[in-house]
Amino acid sequence: VSTLAAIRADEVNFPLFLHVLGAMLLVGMLFTVGLSILLGWRRQDADEAARFTRFGLLTLFLGVLPAYVLMRIGAQWTESEENLPEEVEDSAWLGIGYITADLGALLILVSLVLAAIGLRRLRSGSGVAFGRAVGIIAVLLLAAYVVAVWAMTTKPD
Amino acid sequence: MLFFHVLSAAALVGGLAAFWALVLATRPARTLLSGAAAGSFAAPTGAAVGIGTAGTIIFGVILAIDIDGYALWDGWILAAIVLWAIGTALGQRSGVALTRAGLGALDAAEARRRGILLLAGSSLATLVILILMIWKPGA
């Protein structure tokens, strides 16, 4: 808690703002992808299922990707402005942040490929399975980012 | 406590962002989701915003009382509480207007325009709160 009360250097505030805003938008966009694909999954009407899936897959490109870039650039910029001591650089909480961010980048990249194929196939009436795979990845990422928020706020070591 | 406060803030900001995605998906010119489909998306999203709204104020007030050096009557905390109340009121009215638009009321176009304006106001208030939380002016 005392970390929260610590006074930060002014030059850290803007990159930290970008990082936090990007992370919160990322959570919202992943929620949108996961929820819309789940709602499509439960629909009996094939047209409505495809519309929900399309909404989720488009959100991945137009929402998740920019939010991730904002979060990641903000994180790197914040770290470079803070001039963290070596023991903080090696700390578990920062490590968890990097692991979830970098593993997240890989999973988002896989999702983008699946979404591109899914969107193409949705035009011919298939592609829902690709959407479902993207939905599962979005939910997994959402869980991973909750762990990252826990690590960033509680700083376990 | 800080974890729950930040997680609530993520639910609030993320939920508002999800509503903006829904607004884009229900554009009259290029409708992706029908009014009924939008309603089934809006219900859990509204719940996330509600949980985030309640969580940010509850855990935020506890943190302000709990942390040495901060007090509820600090200018930046008071400003955040006022903006939280404004943002919540605008958000609730936005939900009512957009639901009316989604149900296809006679004044659906006007209700949608009004709902989007109110959502913008609520989002702006939330953004300013985030700025106050990062910069903590006067702390």
Side-chain angles (χ1 to χ4, degrees):
Chain A
V1 166
S2 60
T3 313
L4 178 79
I7 296 168
R8 280 189 300 268
D10 271 351
E11 55 269 25
V12 177
N13 286 335
F14 184 63
L16 182 64
F17 169 70
L18 293 183
H19 172 59
V20 174
L21 181 65
M24 289 179 175
L25 291 175
L26 182 59
V27 166
M29 293 296 95
L30 286 170
F31 172 82
T32 304
V33 173
L35 178 62
S36 57
I37 288 172
L38 178 73
L39 287 170
W41 203 329
R42 293 173 60 183
R43 286 291 187 282
Q44 302 292 330
D45 180 349
D47 177 58
E48 204 162 72
R51 282 171 176 268
F52 269 117
T53 306
R54 182 178 292 277
F55 174 44
L57 298 182
L58 285 173
T59 303
L60 191 75
F61 284 98
L62 303 175
V64 171
L65 184 60
Y68 178 85
V69 170
L70 188 65
M71 181 278 290
R72 194 65 185 82
I73 289 174
Q76 205 67 47
W77 190 2
T78 304
E79 198 201 342
S80 71
E81 290 288 352
E82 276 197 311
N83 298 315
L84 296 169
E86 203 168 319
E87 60 267 27
V88 178
E89 293 272 6
D90 297 336
S91 61
W93 66 270
L94 204 57
I96 291 170
Y98 275 121
I99 289 168
T100 50
D102 294 344
L103 203 64
L106 184 68
L107 288 173
I108 288 170
L109 196 65
V110 171
S111 298
L112 288 170
V113 173
L114 292 172
I117 300 169
L119 281 169
R120 205 177 167 84
R121 293 204 175 176
L122 275 173
R123 283 185 215 142
S124 56
S126 59
V128 173
F130 286 92
R132 288 176 181 175
V134 170
I136 291 168
I137 293 173
V139 172
L140 288 174
L141 279 172
L142 208 49
Y145 289 133
V146 170
V147 174
V149 170
W150 170 79
M152 297 289 119
T153 51
T154 59
K155 297 184 172 53
D157 61 354
Chain B
M1 203 62 73
L2 179 62
F3 166 63
F4 290 113
H5 180 58
V6 175
L7 195 62
S8 301
L12 173 58
V13 175
L16 287 172
F19 271 121
W20 279 112
L22 188 60
V23 163
L24 287 176
T26 52
R27 275 176 304 168
R30 274 187 84 175
T31 305
L32 190 57
L33 296 180
S34 66
S40 62
F41 181 88
T45 307
V49 171
I51 290 167
T53 303
T56 46
I57 196 74
I58 292 167
F59 296 115
V61 166
I62 294 172
L63 280 169
I65 293 168
D66 206 37
I67 297 174
D68 293 336
Y70 293 162
L72 276 176
W73 49 87
D74 286 349
W76 66 279
I77 294 177
L78 275 179
I81 292 172
V82 170
L83 283 167
W84 176 89
I86 293 169
T88 302
L90 293 175
Q92 280 174 342
R93 282 167 175 77
S94 163
V96 171
L98 289 173
T99 302
R100 192 175 165 76
L103 290 173
L106 280 175
D107 62 342
E110 172 56 26
R112 180 179 164 82
R113 196 187 63 81
R114 187 175 143 76
I116 290 173
L117 274 175
L118 290 165
L119 182 61
S122 178
S123 303
L124 185 66
T126 307
L127 192 68
V128 177
I129 294 172
L130 186 58
I131 289 170
L132 287 172
M133 293 294 124
I134 299 283
W135 269 269
K136 300 179 176 57

